Amino acid sequence: TITATTDMATKTYVNTNYGGVKTLYDKNVAAGAGASGWTATLVESDGLNQQQINDGLPSIAALVNIENPRNGMRVTVKSYHLGQNKGGGDFIYDITKAAINNGGTIIYGWVRRKTNIYLTPCMFGAYADGITDDTQYIQKAMDVAVLEHKELHFEGYKYVVRKENVGSYLSPILEIKGELSLIGNNATILINQDRVTTTNPISMTLFKPSRPAEDATNYGKSLGKIKISGFKFDGGFDYDKYTDHTNASDPKKCFLFY
């Protein structure tokens, strides 16, 4: 039978010899882990085990799939798309930005760290493999770079862009919506002209400065400086000595700027 006196005596013994009940509990838990400690896959924090935290998440998709992230939680992501090893980075969760997603610097509350100098298209999902259409990712990166007043670095990779809608060359592939510096670092932009045929001619513009709606007719207001350097532009088709590509009706004409 355990009496109040017995219980007090036990507490006194534990406090004297083991530093208290909590310390005794912690020692037993540690002993249960063995000489090597608990394995990383068993230690959990914020829904992730220690192994995942140590290694980093494989993709942005895995990041946004974290359930009920804690405000201030920090996670490293190895790659934007699984297995690409591009566009990853360190993120911290800000619950006040949970509804914001610009595709790169803030993704449903996950704020990308260390972007105080420049951005890259790969941070916004560009594959930069010379095969996959990166148009939408580059456009997102350009838009955010304008808003955040950052340079956009293309890191020497090869990007493919493509015009979705058949129409006038006045409709560009990429729009520059404000002051912006595009730094290629010897990058290549390949213009995919797979929709161009002799019966479906498309004259295209790669870049076009575009005013915001509120300034659409305010021609006296400058967009600011636009800098483009360190690129190779590939029209995506071969010239040959037998064809005159200077003719205005050339179905594979592409303008760099309009």
Side-chain angles (χ1 to χ4, degrees), residues 1 14 33 77-78 87 106 117 129 133 139 150 161 175 181 185 193 198 209 230 252 256:
T1 303
V14 170
V77 177
K78 293 189 284 188
I106 306 175
I117 301 175
D129 58 6
D133 181 4
Q139 186 65 67
K150 305 286 178 59
V161 296
E175 294 184 65
S181 290
N185 308 114
Q193 299 206 39
T198 54
K252 292 188 174 182
L256 177 62

Side-chain angles (χ1 to χ4, degrees), residues 226-240:
I226 296 173
K227 176 183 177 182
I228 301 176
S229 65
F231 287 93
K232 296 177 182 178
F233 298 102
D234 187 339
F237 57 93
D238 295 327
Y239 283 101
D240 60 74

Side-chain angles (χ1 to χ4, degrees), residues 27 58 64 85 104 112 118 160 163 181 220 223 229-230 236 247:
K27 286 181 178 179
V64 299
N85 295 319
R112 187 185 291 270
Y118 64 85
V160 174
K163 189 169 186 175
S181 290
L223 282 177
S229 65
N247 190 288

